[in-house]
Each structure stands twice: as structure tokens, then as C-alpha cells.
Amino acid sequence: MANAVGALAPSVVQVHGRRRPISGLAYASDTVVTSARALGREDGAKVTSSDGRVTTAELAGWDPASGLAVLRAEGLALAPAAVAESPARVGHIALAVARSWSNALTASAGIVAVIGGPLRTGRGRELEQVIRVTAPLHEGFAGGAVID
């Protein structure tokens, strides 16, 4: 498990918005996916890489149904996270990986407990699939990754 967390570590970033720091995941070298709720919708967000480099981030978009936000973080040259080769299944080991308030890497383990959907989210929107895990999520885990 430590090797899996270590392999993902360069792709997990810390995001500073109007609230406490949250985590984010590199989708491309200058693109971060994170939680819109913890971020807020204001300008001035910053992204801190795993090696401590900081850049201003621009809100490129957000999805009200899922609560995900996409940020552009120019100049960080992040390593994108690898996409799973096979779909999650109930009973798979699930590792939640994030950055703590001090930008330290943090992880928690559990299993994939439920895969279901669709799930209505309000105003005629819905999520096609929802995956719930039993890994305890501590402060800073919002916007982080779940890996197998």
C-alpha cells in the first residue's frame, strides 16, 4: 500500500481557497481537479505541489451535480494521476490519499463498500455512479484521490 501511495504522491496537491486548505489531483500538467464546495467560487486560489512550489490557480469550471472544480495551475508541470485499468468493485481495497494542512502526504485505508446510482443531486441533476468507501477521511481529504 505504501508503494501505491508513494507512486501517486507527486500528483496530489494542496489547494488554498477561501476556506481551509484542501487536496486536489493533477489531471494534466497544469490542470487540477478538486472539491468545489471547500474551494468556493472566488479568484485567488493557489495550488502547492508536492515539492512545495506554489502558483496562482484559475477556476476553469465546476460541476454543480458532482461538486467538482477544475483549476488551471500554470507552470507547476504536475505529473497527472494514472487512471485505473479496471473498474472498482465492492470489496476492493481503497486508499484515500491527500495533503494535510502542512502539505504533508496523508493516507487512509478501507474498502469499496457500495457502488450505486444514479443519485439525484437536486435541480434535475444526477450522478450516474457513486462509489462509497470505508476509509476514514480526515481534514484535508476533500478533493483528494481514492486509489486501489
Side-chain angles (χ1 to χ4, degrees):
M1 288 192 270
N3 289 342
V5 171
L8 183 68
S11 302
V12 180
V13 298
Q14 187 179 62
V15 178
H16 301 267
R18 65 179 175 162
R19 298 181 183 161
R20 292 182 180 188
I22 58 174
S23 296
L25 187 64
Y27 180 79
S29 68
D30 65 348
T31 306
V32 172
V33 177
T34 190
S35 170
R37 287 192 182 104
L39 182 65
R41 286 200 264 169
E42 65 183 38
D43 293 332
K46 295 187 184 305
V47 173
T48 304
S49 66
S50 61
D51 61 4
R53 291 176 292 130
V54 180
T55 190
T56 300
E58 175 185 329
L59 182 62
W62 66 286
D63 176 39
S66 65
L68 293 177
V70 177
L71 302 174
R72 296 254 187 252
E74 299 291 334
L76 282 183
L78 300 168
V83 177
E85 295 177 12
S86 58
R89 293 178 26 209
V90 172
H92 271 167
I93 292 175
L95 301 171
V97 183
R99 294 271 164 202
S100 72
W101 57 270
S102 66
N103 202 34
L105 189 64
T106 184
S108 183
I111 64 167
V112 174
V114 176
I115 299 175
L119 174 67
R120 290 176 170 243
T121 62
R123 297 188 179 163
R125 297 182 175 107
E126 66 182 20
L127 298 176
E128 184 177 312
Q129 186 178 60
V130 177
I131 300 172
R132 291 191 181 181
V133 299
T134 61
L137 303 179
H138 309 291
E139 188 172 329
F141 273 91
V146 177
I147 61 173
D148 61 2

